[in-house]
C-alpha cells in the first residue's frame, strides 16, 4: 500500500451542544447507516468500518464538515480498509494537507505503484484498467461536493454488493476529496456559526450571505478552477503532477450554482465546445450522461445538460482532461448556500445537494466501468491521433526564447514541464521571431508528442472561432502572457536532451570594489531586489535615460531606462555594507548585478546627475471589501507576498474614514463596483492625492476614479456616443443572448502601444505589448498629451474574440495613464497586469506604477499655462 503521510484526528468532532450531539448520534443509530445521502437503498456496508455519522458525530448534510474532519475520516478509511490507500501530495498556502485516495480491490493494492509507473505506456498502447478520477469542491463555498466525497469514500470502502466489488476489480478509482481546503474551511466556519438548531430557510438570512472575500477562492483569493493552466498555486501543482502520472480516462469536477437552479451535467452547450477537442470525446461524455440521467430520474431530481455551461477554456477542471487524453465532466448542483434555503423549486437542504453529488459520483463510476473498453481505446487513439496531426500539419514544433530575461524564459519552460510537455534546450544560436538568441537562451518544444493538441491550444493565436459566447476567457496564449518570442518551425534546431527539470537562474556575486552597482530593470528579478533594498533603508536610484558605463578595465555596457543604481557613496552610514546585501539578494533572486568602475558615463547620464533620481520607499495599501472583486485583489496581494516578498496592508473600504492615509504612499484600487463608497470616501481619496499620494486604479476602478473631485482635464467623449440611440431594426427575441455576448469582453489579448520613454514603461524596449483585456469599460483621455503611457493599437485584437463594435470603441483609447493632481498622481490601468498570477509580460507595468510613479514630473507646456 502507498504510504500514509497524514496523521488523522480521530476526535475531529465540531463543538456542538452535548444534548444536540446525543440526539444526532441516537438518530443516526436508530435510522440505520443507509441514511447517508445519495446512497442506494440496498447499501449493505461492512459493519467493521465506521460510517461518516459515527466518525464525525453528524450525518453528512446536517453540518458542514471542516477540512480537518474530512481529512481525518479519509485517513481513518485508509487505515481501516484494505481497499484504500492515501497520499498527502502537498500542502495549501494555509498548510492544510492535500490528499489523494486510491480505491481498488485488496489484491490490486500492492500493484498500484507498478500500475501508475506504467500508465504512460499503457495509455498509448490502449491497455487498462480504466482510471476514474473523482474531484470535489475546487470552490470552497460549493461545499456539497466535499461532503459527497466523504459519503462516496465510505461507499467504495464499505459496500459489499456485487456492483461495487466489480468496479474495484475492473477499475482504479482515484479521489481528490477537497481541491480547495482553505476556501472550504472559510465557508464551513461561516455557515456553521450561523446555523440555528431550527435551520432558517429564508434566503435573506445571514447564513446564506457570507462576507467578503467568501469561501469560493483559495488562500490568496484566486479561483482554483482557473488555475489548471497557470499552475500558480500548490493545490494545482500537486494535482497535476499526479494527474499526469495516472492519465485518468474520466475526471469529474463537482460544483454548485445559484439556489434557483436544478442540476447540470455535461455535455454542455454543443456550439461552445473547444474546437481542438475530438468529437469522440463529446460522444463519450454523452454516453456517460445517460447513467447520470437514469440515477437522477430514479430519485425524481430535475436536471439539464445542454445550456449555460461550455467546455472551452483549457484552464478549467472539466476541460483540461479533454485536451490531455481524458474525458472531463462538469457537475453543477443548485446550492442551499448553507443548510436549508427556499428556492423557486421549493425548499432545498444541504442534504439534498450532497445526495445529488453522491448520485452522479456513483453514475460516473458506473458509466466509466461500463464504457471501459471505449474509453481506453479513445485515449490510445487520442495520443496517436495527436502525433498524426502534427505530422499532417508539417509542424516540427516550436522554439521560444528568453528575450534577455532568463527568469521569464525558464519560468515558461518549467510551466510546460508541469504539463507533461517535452522541452529541449537549444544548443546553437537561433533567431526567434526576428530576435537573435545566443546559446542557452532558447528552448525547443517538439510537436511529435502526446500533448500536441494541448500545445496548439496554448501556443497558437486564436483568430477564427466557431462561437461568440464564452463562459470565461476566449484565449490563453502563453508566449504572449510571458511576452516572449515564439514561432513554429518546420525543422527543429540543434537541441540537447529533454529536460527533467529547469535549473533556477544562478547569479554570481558582484565585485565589492565598485563605485556603484547597476541592475537592469528588464530582468524579472529586479523588482524583488529593489523592494528588499528599499525595505532595508538603502538608497537606490533609477536611470531615466539610456546610459553607457564602464563595467571593467576595458569593458563598457549599455543600460536601459529603469536600470537601478546602487551607489556606494549614497548609502546611510548606519546601514550594513551594501555590497554584502547586494550579493545576498542577487543570489536569492537570480538577479544580474553589474559593478561600475566610474560614476562618469561614457554616454548618457553620470551617476550623480538629476536624471538619475532616487527611488522613494513605498508603503502601499490595498482597498478591499464588499463590492470589490476578491480575485483581482488577490492577484495583487499574491504578487506582493510571493513575488515581491513584501507585506501589503489591506483595508476594508468601510474603515477608510478611520484611517490616516498620509501614513501611506500608494492606495491601490482593485477592480470592482465603487458606487457604494460614500461621498466622504471620495473626498478623502482626492485629498490623499493632492497631498502627495498616488492612487493606482485598475479596470473598472480606473474609470471610477475619473469621478473623484480632482479637477480632471479630460477629452470630451465622442458626441456621437452621447446622442440618443436611433430606433433600431427589429430583432427576434431569441437573438438577444448572442447579441449581448458580442458586446462582452470575457477575456481577449489586445495590443497596446507603449511610450517607452515614460517611467511607467521603463524596462520595455519595444513599443508593442500584449495585454489581457476583460470588461467593456473605457478610459477617457486626458488633455495633457504626455499622460498616456499606453494606448490600444489600431489593429487592437491579437488573439481571442472581440466583437467589431468593441474593436472600434477601444482602438486608440488610453490603456495606461498617469495624471498629476496637486502634489500626487493617479495611475489608471484599464487592464489587469497581474492576471491570474501568470502574466509576467505585463507585471513590470504594475511594478513601475508602484516604484516610479513619484518621479514623473509636471508636463504642462508654457503655452498651456498662459
Amino acid at each position: 500500500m502507498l504510504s500514509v503521510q497524514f496523521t488523522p484526528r480521530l476526535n475531529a468532532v465540531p463543538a456542538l451542544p452535548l444534548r444536540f450531539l446525543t440526539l444526532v448520534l441516537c438518530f443516526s443509530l436508530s435510522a440505520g447507516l443507509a441514511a447517508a445521502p445519495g446512497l442506494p437503498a440496498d447499501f449493505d456496508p461492512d459493519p467493521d468500518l465506521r460510517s461518516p455519522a459515527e466518525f464525525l458525530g453528524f450525518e453528512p448534510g446536517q453540518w458542514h464538515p471542516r477540512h480537518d474532519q474530512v481529512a481525518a475520516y479519509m485517513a481513518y478509511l485508509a487505515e481501516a480498509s484494505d481497499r484504500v490507500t492515501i497520499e498527502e501530495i502537498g500542502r495549501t498556502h494555509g498548510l492544510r494537507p492535500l490528499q489523494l485516495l486510491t480505491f481498488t480491490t485488496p489484491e490490486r493494492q500492492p500493484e498500484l505503484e507498478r500500475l501508475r509507473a506504467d500508465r504512460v505506456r499503457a495509455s498509448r498502447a490502449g491497455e487498462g484498467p480504466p482510471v476514474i478520477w473523482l474531484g470535489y469542491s475546487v470552490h470552497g463555498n460549493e461545499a456539497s461536493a466535499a461532503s459527497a466525497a466523504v459519503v462516496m469514500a465510505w461507499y467504495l470502502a464499505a459496500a459489499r454488493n456485487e456492483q461495487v466489488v466489480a468496479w474495484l476489480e475492473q477499475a482504479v478509482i482515484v479521489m481528490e476529496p477537497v481541491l480547495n481546503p482553505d476556501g472550504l474551511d472559510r465557508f464551513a466556519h461561516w455557515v456553521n456559526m450561523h446555523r440555528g438548531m431550527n435551520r432558517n430557510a429564508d434566503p435573506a438570512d445571514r447564513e446564506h450571505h457570507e462576507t467578503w472575500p467568501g469561501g469560493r477562492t483559495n488562500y490568496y483569493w484566486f479561483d482554483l478552477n482557473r488555475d489548471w493552466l497557470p499552475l500558480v498555486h500548490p493545490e494545482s501543482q500537486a494535482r497535476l503532477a499526479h494527474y499526469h502520472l495516472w492519465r485518468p480516462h474520466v475526471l469529474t469536477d463537482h460544483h454548485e450554482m445559484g439556489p434557483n437552479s436544478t442540476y447540470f451535467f455535461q455535455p454542455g452547450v454543443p456550439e461552445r465546445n473547444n474546437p481542438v477537442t475530438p468529437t469522440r470525446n463529446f460522444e463519450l461524455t454523452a454516453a456517460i450522461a445517460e447513467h447520470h440521467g437514469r440515477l437522477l430520474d430514479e430519485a425524481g431530481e430535475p436536471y439539464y445538460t445542454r445550456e449555460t455551461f461550455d467546455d472551452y477554456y483549457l484552464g478549467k477542471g472539466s476541460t483540461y482532461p479533454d485536451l490531455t487524453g481524458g474525458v472531463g465532466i462538469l457537475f453543477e448542483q443548485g446550492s442551499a448556500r448553507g443548510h436549508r434555503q427556499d428556492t423557486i423549486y421549493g425548499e432545498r437542504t444541504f442534504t439534498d445537494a450532497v445526495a445529488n453529488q453522491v448520485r452522479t459520483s456513483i453514475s460516473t463510476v458506473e458509466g466509466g466501468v461500463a464504457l471501459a473498453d471505449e474509453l481506453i481505446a479513445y485515449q490510445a487513439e487520442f495520443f496517436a491521433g495527436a502525433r498524426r496531426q502534427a505530422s499532417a500539419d508539417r509542424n516540427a514544433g516550436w522554439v521560444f526564447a528568453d528575450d534577455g530575461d532568463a527568469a521569464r524564459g525558464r519560468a515558461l519552460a518549467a510551466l510546460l514541464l508541469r504539463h507533461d510537455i517535452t522541452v529541449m534546450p537549444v544548443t546553437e544560436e537561433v533567431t526567434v521571431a526576428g530576435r537573435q538568441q545566443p546559446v542557452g537562451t532558447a528552448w525547443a518544444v517538439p510537436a511529435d508528442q502526446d500533448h500536441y493538441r494541448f500545445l496548439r491550444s496554448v501556443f497558437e493565436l486564436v483568430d477564427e472561432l466557431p462561437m461568440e459566447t464564452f463562459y470565461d476567457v476566449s484565449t490563453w496564449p502563453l508566449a504572449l502572457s510571458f511576452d516572449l518570442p515564439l514561432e513554429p518551425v518546420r525543422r527543429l534546431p540543434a537541441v540537447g536532451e529533454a529536460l527533467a527539470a529547469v535549473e533556477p537562474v544562478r547569479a554570481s556575486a558582484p565585485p565589492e570594489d565598485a563605485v556603484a552597482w547597476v541592475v537592469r530593470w528588464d530582468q524579472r528579478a529586479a523588482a524583488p531586489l529593489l523592494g528588499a533594498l528599499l525595505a532595508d533603508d538603502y538608497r537606490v536610484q533609477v536611470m531615466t535615460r539610456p546610459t553607457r558605463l564602464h563595467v571593467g578595465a576595458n569593458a563598457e555596457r549599455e543600460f536601459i531606462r529603469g536600470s537601478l543604481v546602487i551607489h556606494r557613496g549614497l548609502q546611510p552610514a548606519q546601514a550594513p555594507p551594501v555590497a554584502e546585501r547586494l550579493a545576498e539578494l542577487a543570489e536569492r533572486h537570480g538577479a544580474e548585478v553589474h559593478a561600475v568602475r566610474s560614476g562618469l558615463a561614457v554616454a548618457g547620464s553620470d551617476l550623480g546627475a538629476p536624471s538619475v533620481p532616487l527611488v522613494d520607499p513605498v508603503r502601499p495599501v490595498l482597498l478591499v471589501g464588499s463590492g470589490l472583486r476578491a480575485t483581482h485583489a488577490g492577484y495583487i496581494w499574491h504578487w506582493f507576498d510571493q513575488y515581491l516578498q513584501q507585506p501589503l496592508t489591506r483595508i476594508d473600504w468601510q474603515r477608510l474614514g478611520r484611517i490616516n492615509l498620509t501614513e501611506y504612499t500608494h492606495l491601490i484600487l482593485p477592480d470592482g463596483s465603487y458606487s457604494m463608497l460614500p461621498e466622504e470616501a471620495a473626498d478623502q481619496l482626492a485629498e490623499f492625492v493632492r497631498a502627495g499620494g498616488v492612487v493606482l486604479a485598475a479596470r473598472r476602478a480606473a474609470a471610477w476614479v475619473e469621478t473623484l473631485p480632482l479637477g480632471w482635464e479630460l477629452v470630451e467623449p465622442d458626441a456621437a456616443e452621447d446622442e440618443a440611440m436611433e430606433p433600431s431594426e427589429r430583432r427576434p427575441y431569441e437573438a438577444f443572448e448572442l447579441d449581448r455576448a458580442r458586446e462582452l469582453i470575457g477575456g481577449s489579448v489586445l495590443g497596446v502601444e507603449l511610450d517607452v520613454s515614460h517611467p511607467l514603461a521603463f524596462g520595455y524596449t519595444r513599443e508593442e505589448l500584449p495585454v489581457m483585456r476583460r470588461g467593456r469599460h473605457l478610459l477617457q483621455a486626458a488633455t495633457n498629451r504626455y499622460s498616456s503611457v499606453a494606448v490600444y493599437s489600431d489593429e487592437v485584437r491579437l488573439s481571442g474574440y472581440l466583437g467589431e463594435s468593441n474593436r472600434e470603441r477601444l482602438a486608440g483609447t488610453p490603456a495606461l495613464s498617469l495624471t498629476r493632481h496637486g502634489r500626487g498622481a493617479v495611475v489608471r490601468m484599464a487592464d489587469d497586469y497581474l492576471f491570474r498570477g501568470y502574466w509576467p509580460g505585463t507585471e513590470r507595468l504594475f511594478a513601475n506604477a508602484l516604484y516610479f510613479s513619484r518621479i514623473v514630473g509636471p508636463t504642462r507646456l508654457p503655452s498651456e499655462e498662459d
Side-chain angles (χ1 to χ4, degrees), residues 29 34 41 119 156 170 248 280 318 379 384 386 399 404 422 472 526 694 702 722 738 750 768 787 843 862:
L29 293 174
R119 275 297 300 141
L156 293 173
Q170 298 173 45
R280 180 60 175 154
S318 56
Q379 188 173 74
V399 175
T422 299
D472 198 77
V694 178
D722 291 338
L738 184 56
L750 307 186
E768 302 80 19
S787 64
E843 70 181 356

Side-chain angles (χ1 to χ4, degrees), residues 327-664:
V327 174
I329 305 175
L330 171 67
F331 299 101
E332 294 274 356
Q333 164 65 46
S335 179
R337 279 296 186 266
H339 294 89
R340 176 186 177 198
Q341 186 170 172
D342 291 331
T343 78
I344 61 174
Y345 298 104
E347 182 181 281
R348 176 175 295 121
T349 67
F350 186 45
T351 300
D352 297 333
V354 173
N356 279 342
Q357 304 280 31
V358 171
R359 292 180 183 112
T360 52
S361 298
I362 292 173
S363 60
T364 298
V365 178
E366 177 187 276
V369 172
L371 296 166
D373 290 345
E374 295 175 63
L375 288 164
I376 292 169
Y378 165 74
Q379 188 173 74
E381 171 55 27
F382 179 94
F383 294 132
R387 294 175 184 269
R388 290 197 305 272
Q389 185 62 55
S391 177
D393 292 343
R394 301 180 64 190
N395 183 4
W398 295 264
V399 175
F400 69 92
D402 68 14
D403 197 29
D405 185 358
R408 260 186 304 141
R410 296 187 190 200
L412 178 54
L415 176 59
L416 293 172
L417 289 184
R418 288 187 185 278
H419 286 293
D420 197 31
I421 300 299
T422 299
V423 181
M424 301 172 172
V426 174
T427 57
E428 63 179 343
E429 289 190 5
V430 290
T431 299
V432 184
R435 308 173 204 174
Q436 192 69 27
Q437 296 290 149
V439 175
T441 64
W443 296 264
V445 181
D448 185 20
Q449 54 181 301
D450 291 350
H451 296 309
Y452 176 64
R453 290 184 177 89
F454 174 93
L455 288 170
R456 285 188 56 201
S457 182
V458 300
F459 281 163
E460 293 180 357
L461 301 185
V462 175
D463 187 11
E464 298 295 329
L465 280 166
M467 75 284 278
E468 297 175 301
T469 303
F470 302 88
Y471 187 76
D472 198 77
V473 297
S474 63
T475 185
W476 44 92
L478 289 181
L480 295 188
S481 73
F482 281 76
D483 191 27
L484 292 176
L486 173 141
E487 64 181 10
V489 293
R490 294 290 180 88
R491 181 183 65 82
L492 292 179
V495 295
E497 293 294 322
L499 297 175
V502 176
E503 288 293 321
V505 179
R506 302 192 186 280
S508 57
E512 295 186 8
D513 58 336
V515 169
W517 297 266
V518 179
V519 180
R520 286 178 62 93
W521 190 243
D522 57 355
Q523 53 182 324
R524 192 163 188 244
L529 183 144
L530 173 59
L533 288 174
L534 294 179
D536 290 344
D537 296 324
Y538 291 103
R539 296 189 180 110
V540 182
Q541 301 163 268
V542 58
M543 293 180 179
T544 62
R545 301 174 182 173
T547 297
R548 178 172 288 274
L549 297 170
H550 292 285
V551 294
N554 298 302
E556 299 174 1
R557 175 135 188 168
E558 185 83 19
F559 293 98
I560 64 172
R561 292 183 177 93
S563 294
L564 307 176
V565 178
I566 303 93
H567 199 293
R568 182 192 297 276
L570 292 181
Q571 303 313 314
Q574 70 276 15
V578 69
E580 295 178 9
R581 183 62 171 142
L582 265 178
E584 178 188 340
L585 292 173
E587 181 180 4
R588 178 194 301 177
H589 298 293
E592 186 179 16
V593 180
H594 300 272
V596 177
R597 302 302 177 184
S598 173
L600 188 65
V602 177
S605 301
D606 297 330
L607 297 190
S611 56
V612 191
L614 286 169
V615 179
D616 290 336
V618 299
R619 192 178 181 202
V621 59
L622 173 67
L623 207 63
V624 299
S626 176
L628 307 187
R629 187 175 290 276
T631 50
H632 189 213
Y635 305 158
I636 297 168
W637 175 30
H638 178 267
W639 185 77
F640 272 89
D641 205 40
Q642 293 288 319
Y643 169 63
L644 282 189
Q645 299 178 20
Q646 296 296 320
L648 175 65
T649 298
R650 293 148 293 160
I651 295 177
D652 286 282
W653 63 261
Q654 295 90 338
R655 297 184 61 243
L656 262 178
R658 287 174 278 172
I659 302 297
N660 181 7
L661 288 180
T662 61
E663 296 181 359
Y664 303 96

Side-chain angles (χ1 to χ4, degrees), residues 2 24 47 85 113 136 220 231 247 280 340 370 389 432 440 553 564 680 682 695 737 853 862:
L2 303 179
V24 170
T85 57
E113 287 281 18
Y136 301 92
Y220 284 106
L231 299 183
R247 290 198 169 189
R280 180 60 175 154
R340 176 186 177 198
Q389 185 62 55
V432 184
L564 307 176
E680 294 80 6
V695 166
E737 289 297 333
S853 53

Side-chain angles (χ1 to χ4, degrees), residues 632 635-636 698-699 772-773 829-836 839 842:
H632 189 213
Y635 305 158
I636 297 168
R699 296 187 60 190
M772 173 57 80
R773 171 73 189 203
M829 300 175 279
D831 301 307
D832 182 358
Y833 299 143
L834 308 177
F835 181 66
R836 292 180 180 168
W839 214 266
T842 53

